[in-house]
Amino acid sequence: MFNSDPPTSPAAADQAIEEVVAAGPSGAIVVAGIATACVVAMWLAFYLFVFLPRGSLQ
């Protein structure tokens, strides 16, 4: 699609846009999911290795 000629008519341009939109933002969702998983894993590691070993403060 990057090396293809641009559409010459507005209807063809609309068709091309509809095809791109129909594919959806799957890559962005994957990146957001990986980033969220990393944040949750870091929080859990910090909780397990920093807060729990300190115990309760009185």
Side-chain angles (χ1 to χ4, degrees):
M1 184 155 208
F2 291 115
N3 294 330
S4 62
D5 294 329
T8 56
S9 68
D14 290 340
Q15 177 68 23
I17 291 171
E18 290 296 325
E19 289 174 6
V20 171
V21 172
S26 59
I29 293 171
V30 169
V31 170
I34 291 171
T36 302
C38 289
V39 169
V40 170
M42 287 186 289
W43 179 85
L44 187 61
F46 191 81
Y47 180 77
L48 291 174
F49 297 120
V50 175
F51 285 123
L52 287 182
R54 289 181 68 186
S56 63
L57 298 176
Q58 296 182 3

